[in-house]
Amino acid sequence: MPFSFAAVNKTSKAFFEAERRYNYTTPKTFLELIKLYKSVLTKKRKESQEAIDRLENGLNKLHKTQGEVDVLVENARAMALEVEQKVANANIFAEQVGVEKEKVNAENESAKVEADKCAVIAKEVSEKQASCERDLAAAEPLVAQAEAALDTLNKKDLGETKSLKKPPPGVDDITAVVIILLEGNPKDKSWGAAQKLMNNVDKFLERLRGYKAVIDQGQVAKKTVEACRSYLELPHFNKEIIYNKSRAAAGLCEWAINIVKYYDVVSEVEPKRQELAAANAKLQEANTLLAAVQQKVAELNAKVEELEKQFNAAVEDKEAAIKESERCQLKLQLANRLINALASEGERWAKTVETLRANYDVLTGDMLLAAAFVSYAGPFTSKFRAGLIKEWIKFLSDKGAPMTEGIKDPLSLLVDNAIVASWVRQGLPSDPTSVQNGTILTNSERWPLMMDPQLQGIVWIKERESKNNLQVIRMGADNMTVVMERAIEAGHSVLIENMGESIDAVLNPVITRSTFKKGRNMYVKIGDKDVEYNKNFRLFLHTKLSNPHYPPEIQAETTLINFTVTEQGLEDQLLALVVNKERPDLEETKTQLIIQNTEFTIKLKQLEDELLYKLSTAEGDITEDVALIESLEESKRVATEISEKVVEARDTEVAINDSRNKYRPVAERGAMLFFLLNSLNKIHAFYQYSLNAFVTVFSRGLDLAPGGPKKKETVTLRQLQKRVSGNAEDFNEVIKKAKRQSSNTGGRMSKRTTAQSGFTAGVNPSMTGETIAEEEEETDMTPDQLEVRIGNLLDTCTFTVFNYTRRGLFDRDKLIVLTLLTFQIMLREGKIDAAEYDALCKGARSPAPPPITDDLSRWMNEGQWAAVDALAAVPGFGSLSKDLEKNSDEWYNWSNNEAPERATMPGDWGRMNDFKQLLLLRSLRPDRVTNALQRFCESIMGARYVNQDAFSPQAVVEESSSATPIFFILFPGYSPSKEIEQYARKVGKTVETGNLTLISMGQGQEGPAEAVLDKYMKEGGWVFLDNVHLMQGWIPRLERKLEYAAENAHKDFRCFFSAEPINGAPHAKIIPESILQTCIKISNEPPSDMKSNMRRAFAAFTPEAEDRLSTMTKKNAYKGILFGLCFYHSLLLGRKKFGTGIGTGSGSGLGFCRNYSFNMGDLTTCGDVLINYLEAYEHIPWDDLRYMFGEVFYGGHITDNMDRRCCTTYLQVLIRPEILPGGQLADASSWTTPQLDLAPGFKAPLPTSFDALHEYIENSLPAESPVVYGMHPNAELSLLTSLGETLFKTITLVSGGGAGSSGGGGAGEAAVRSALKDYMERLPEPFVMLEIEQRIKEKTPYVVVALQEATRMNALLDEMRRSMEELQLGLDGALNMSDKMEALAKGIATNTVPALWMTMMSTRIQEVFSLLGWYQDVLKRYEQLAAWTAGNLVTPNSVWLSGLFNPKAFLTAVMQTYARANKLPLDVMMFVTEVTTKTVEQVTEPAPLGCYVHGCVLEGARCVVLDGWCELVAVPAS
């Protein structure tokens, strides 16, 4: 573990040097590794043991089944005999039961007859009984009425009636009826008899109530009732009539009437009763007979039942025996089926168990490697990860740690193919680095922090975690805390997207997983609230920043994972994009094959797990589980079928890949282009590019290639990746289609290709203005046509991407990017050697070259000779130094050439290829390297890569969309808003109509800007936000607005904005990275070369402008003078590259003394003034024009008198009558060539037309040279040398240390160690100041200077020694590497002077030295001081003035010495400088007056010794 920690620290340093990315390891990181190791080891051991147990369980059951087969065979035979005997016994019982059943059936028939008879009788009885009951029921109301009548009687009424001596008329008739009924019709029916009958009222009433029972018993004679009928027929025998006479009589009347009626009903029912009684008697007799018959039948049935029981028992016994026999046979059959089905699986399981057992023993080392990889490897790119793995494996192997033999990939220990296949289906790219990232993310215990600038990781996470109710929030959002609390409680997943380089403090407990227990549950504190912690909660942190710098405390608490797309991964994705455009059918089939393979892989894993699970969880005897065995057979059958399909699909996929790989060169070029663009942020923070923006441009380049498909479908990488998540089609159909497509060796070509065959490869036909008829039909390409097509694709996509990139580059970086592009293409195509490329970039110089010969020293300095000596180590250049000595004159003539890159090199060196000649040129003429590189790139790539068209707002707007903002980089005097406003007016967008808004950002403009953005995003419109760099606090809100616009804005919405870079701070984060990645960048910087400036300047004017002039003479004069004005404008802009400011800049102020912001506004205003003056005057007012141009407009910028003189001199030379043709200006036929030379060899043109003048600029302008600007060729020496050094330093920086840099940093560190050792050995000891001061006899001004210089030298030597010793300790691992140590190591590795050492020197000339040259310079300074401070501190005969820390102090000492010697005041002293013809070696004694000095440098001129005089030549013309 400590070794892995140290190895990561070392790799982090190399990672920073190569990629400029920060990675920190802390003690917390180390502790997390220990924790993860324990966790992953325990988990893996558990998984391995469970897998072993599961497989062994399955194997045991297989072995058990195999052992039971023989037993089952014997059991089956015995059971067959037993079944035969039991079948015979069952048959005997069956015969006996049959006989008895016949007897029972006969008796049953008799019983049935008797039962039928009884049923008939019962039916009759039932009918008669029902009839009687109905009649009786009808009589019941009569009884009720009679009883009701009795209820009306009471003792009182009866007593009153009884007491009457003579009843009322009719009452006696009623009592007579009562007497008849009660007494049986006696003779005496008189009233007296009635009174006597009613004497006892209660008894009388009781007899009346009981009379019904008497009738029911049949005790009432019929004659008695008949005697009553005559009375009943009497008219007054009525209740209502009698009631008025006697209430008691009325009740008795009602009773009598109803009781008689009741008697009549009962009399009618009585016969029926008698019949019913007879029927019941008959029924009873029949039932008795039936019971006897049934008793007999029951006895017989009981006997039969007993027999049947015995028979059933016999049958059951027989069937049980048969069933047991069948079960035994089935069991035997199933056992054989199980053995046959899983025989191959058993062998494989047995081997797997052996492997698992062996692996279990080495899990200690394997999991240590895996845990280290998960903990540490996340931030690194694939190259550095591979280096770490290799280093760790070697260490563990050397230490004898238990490890899997031959292990190369620790990921195979943590994931299997099925898991990876499921990730691919979820949207994770399938390249190895992405799979590594997925493994790290899913196995890390710390929350993952994904660096995902291409947004490929976040797509996968969103799909993968969607089932866990993923919540997507942003750091600092209003609802962040609420969403986080709910997710933690519910156990949902949370994704914090697009975060910056800091984490909100409120989330620290969540990030650090600081949970605590309260009661039975775990809690985490968010703010002031305790939130219950659900163990299923998952947190994912995400940033779009391509190179974020997270502090150590964040990296310690999270697992940083670099999801940046790899070049190989991107190449595969771009291949899918290219093939989808060229052969969509092929790509569709490829996608289906991927889907099929992933589905098969997942399904096979599921089937195996399911099979083992069923086998391991089966209880009892598995040979009897039919469903289980059938399920196992089906799983095995499906698995076998899938395995066969997998083999077929993979074979087919190989054929498909062969067809697709024909387009791989295009995808490889695209990946290279993107990674080139992705590395440009090391140059400037503005150079940021998203993958989506790149793919859009790359796709446009593919569409522009001639000869392709007519249909131009726009497909993004995300859409292509999403297809892999689609549904699988029929396998057989996919295979058929794939075989048919793979048989086509070429591609598809539109028939319109025939009409385009005359076009040059890489030229877009639409650019030529020709119209091409397009055909619908497409045909197959031949291999030759496909080769041409691929060449066209390579050409157009490369230029389209480069042109898109170049448009946003600073002018100083365009050649750098072009050079990088050219060299990368040539390196990949094997056209240049990597070692030669490395030598060119580093420009090494030998630290101790052999002495230079006198012949060479006359034209070659020591720096050139050291470079030649170092170049001799490169193969092919070993004889260079000897050839230089042998052919010194020829080399001198070549080296002294004004443009040696255009001249032929001496001897065989001129026949070397152009690249090797660049190596020679950098060694001998480093000032011409930039020009040579431009020529080299132009010859390799084409002229259009060097010549850039003027900015066109139309072209930019056409490329943009509502999701693509347009960013203008501001330069002094440049206002892009005016250009956009002019173009917007042409397309109907104006401020007046409300669909264009221009806002100059500043304090208080936030609200209006947001309001306009919201309005235009909804309704459509253009908004230009100028100077957004002034609104650093508001820019994040702009970023969020633009993100919203990318998804929801109106299609006509466009956002333009501008910002100014900070000089000297190229990596300042002015604009958020996400905006820079998606926007179109426009760097409309004034170019530095004459042709570009002329092209750009003249493009600002149109032929329509001359229509404002009234005569042809004035129009022609306007064109001629305008051309001169544009040339003047170009001179002023181009002159800046020679340096502005005294003593600063690339050319040390040779251009201007001050920096001025001359701009296109000055030029166009002067153009308007020219028109006005020409129209206002009959004759051309030359003086007035020169004054207005030089003093008013351009002169308004100028503050230095010398600069003003330079500019006015240009105008005096350029703006004069000779610029116009001779003859009549109105008559072109009379013209003669203008006499004025605008530059040497460049005559003023004939002002015929604007087109002719444009052509004149392109074809006649001389090559770029100081001469064009009126300066000597030497004026650009320091400029070009500095540009060349800067160019190669930048190339080295961008490419991560050169072509030969190592991923793990091993070779780079070895080189640093070697160089560091050499520097430390050659570093002299500091001066002993005390000892020097003791030797001083007189402290003269010269001695004071010597002491000061020695003190400064000691400070430098002490700092150099301290920093190098500190770096040595850092490299040895004894100290942590600090920023200063990193900077020193980088300087040594790249041969550049470390900034800390440079500050100790503080002279400008040191800036152009490499580290080797600078170190030699320091040693020479030391030598001079050592000689000076030796002995009595005698001043050297000739002082190396530029070798002093403070030359001015020495010059002051010279003045003081002379003044003291001559007793003169110091303030009247002046220097007189005399240039001698002596060399340093020829000076043998001090100067008689003053002091000899050497080492002075002339810029823009040189001294030539002629006839004993030193003549200064080549003074600039200005």
Side-chain angles (χ1 to χ4, degrees), residues 1333-1346:
E1333 290 177 354
Q1334 288 177 348
R1335 289 189 275 108
I1336 297 175
K1337 295 180 179 180
E1338 181 182 0
K1339 213 165 191 178
T1340 65
Y1342 291 133
V1343 171
V1344 172
V1345 171

Side-chain angles (χ1 to χ4, degrees), residues 141 167 218 257 400 463 520 597 610 964 1055 1209 1217 1230 1282 1328 1492:
I257 293 172
E463 179 65 27
R520 295 184 177 181
N597 282 331
E610 181 182 350
T964 312
C1055 179
T1209 302
S1230 66
S1282 176
V1328 182
Y1492 288 118

Side-chain angles (χ1 to χ4, degrees), residues 55 61 205 272 279 447 610 798 853 861 911 931 986 1011 1057 1071 1160 1171 1241 1258 1277 1300 1377 1393 1401:
L55 289 169
K61 291 188 176 180
L205 289 174
K272 294 182 179 179
W447 301 132
E610 181 182 350
T798 304
T853 64
N861 59 39
R911 289 188 288 272
N931 298 73
K986 293 180 181 179
F1057 66 97
I1071 305 297
M1160 292 297 294
I1171 292 176
E1258 296 296 330
L1277 283 176
M1377 291 288 284
V1393 184
M1401 190 74 77

Side-chain angles (χ1 to χ4, degrees), residues 312-323:
N312 289 338
V315 170
E316 287 177 1
D317 196 17
K318 178 191 72 173
E319 289 179 349
I322 293 173
K323 186 175 182 181

Side-chain angles (χ1 to χ4, degrees), residues 2-295:
F3 176 81
S4 66
F5 187 81
V8 170
N9 284 336
K10 183 176 68 175
T11 304
S12 297
K13 301 166 191 173
F15 188 50
F16 177 78
E17 291 300 326
E19 304 289 341
R20 314 307 299 169
R21 292 179 179 273
Y22 292 91
N23 180 51
Y24 298 107
T25 49
T26 64
K28 173 71 173 176
T29 314
F30 183 75
L31 295 176
E32 288 291 342
L33 169 62
I34 298 174
K35 181 180 177 183
L36 176 64
Y37 173 60
K38 292 168 62 178
S39 172
V40 75
L41 180 60
T42 303
K43 177 182 176 184
K44 197 64 180 179
R45 281 178 173 172
K46 181 180 178 182
E47 290 177 355
S48 297
Q49 190 59 51
E50 288 177 350
I52 292 172
D53 294 343
R54 192 171 60 219
L55 289 169
E56 286 186 336
N57 192 2
L59 284 170
N60 291 337
K61 291 188 176 180
L62 280 178
H63 295 156
K64 181 181 178 183
T65 303
Q66 289 174 342
E68 291 177 348
V69 169
D70 295 337
V71 177
L72 289 174
V73 171
E74 292 299 324
N75 290 343
R77 291 174 182 172
M79 285 183 182
L81 296 175
E82 183 180 353
V83 168
E84 185 178 352
Q85 180 63 38
K86 289 184 178 181
V87 169
N89 294 338
N91 291 337
I92 293 173
F93 271 112
E95 291 177 3
Q96 293 177 357
V97 171
V99 172
E100 295 300 327
K101 275 189 175 182
E102 289 179 1
K103 294 179 182 180
V104 173
N105 290 338
E107 292 298 329
N108 277 337
E109 289 297 326
S110 300
K112 185 177 179 182
V113 171
E114 294 299 326
D116 291 342
K117 292 179 182 179
C118 288
V120 171
I121 295 172
K123 183 178 179 182
E124 292 176 357
V125 170
S126 176
E127 291 175 353
K128 290 178 181 180
Q129 186 174 359
S131 177
C132 290
E133 289 175 355
R134 283 196 301 271
D135 293 340
L136 292 173
E140 289 299 326
L142 300 176
V143 176
Q145 291 175 9
E147 290 178 350
L150 292 178
D151 291 337
T152 61
L153 300 177
N154 54 49
K155 291 180 179 182
K156 181 181 178 181
D157 292 339
L158 288 174
E160 290 177 356
T161 304
K162 179 182 70 169
S163 63
L164 294 175
K165 293 181 178 180
K166 184 179 181 178
V171 173
D172 54 345
D173 292 332
I174 293 171
T175 58
V177 173
V178 173
I179 292 171
I180 293 171
L181 291 174
L182 293 178
E183 298 297 331
N185 193 18
K187 291 181 180 181
D188 186 7
K189 304 179 184 72
S190 64
W191 174 247
Q195 287 178 324
K196 185 178 179 181
L197 182 63
M198 293 185 292
N199 186 36
N200 188 339
V201 175
D202 293 332
K203 187 176 180 180
F204 175 70
L205 289 174
E206 184 178 351
R207 289 187 67 185
L208 290 177
R209 288 189 176 91
Y211 196 75
K212 173 183 178 294
V214 176
I215 295 174
D216 292 338
Q217 294 172 3
Q219 296 177 0
V220 179
K222 182 177 181 182
K223 62 182 180 179
T224 301
V225 176
E226 291 296 331
C228 297
R229 296 189 188 280
S230 59
Y231 291 98
L232 296 176
E233 293 175 356
L234 294 175
H236 58 267
F237 206 91
N238 184 280
K239 177 183 178 181
E240 286 76 13
I241 296 175
I242 295 301
Y243 185 80
N244 294 327
K245 297 177 180 181
S246 173
R247 294 173 62 183
L252 292 173
C253 176
E254 183 70 17
W255 177 84
I257 293 172
N258 285 293
I259 205 66
V260 170
K261 289 181 179 180
Y262 178 72
Y263 175 81
D264 291 341
V265 173
V266 170
S267 297
E268 293 177 1
V269 173
E270 185 59 28
K272 294 182 179 179
R273 281 182 175 178
Q274 294 175 358
E275 293 178 3
L276 179 61
N280 283 329
K282 185 178 180 181
L283 177 61
Q284 185 176 2
E285 183 181 354
N287 284 335
T288 302
L289 180 60
L290 178 61
V293 174
Q294 287 178 340
Q295 177 66 26

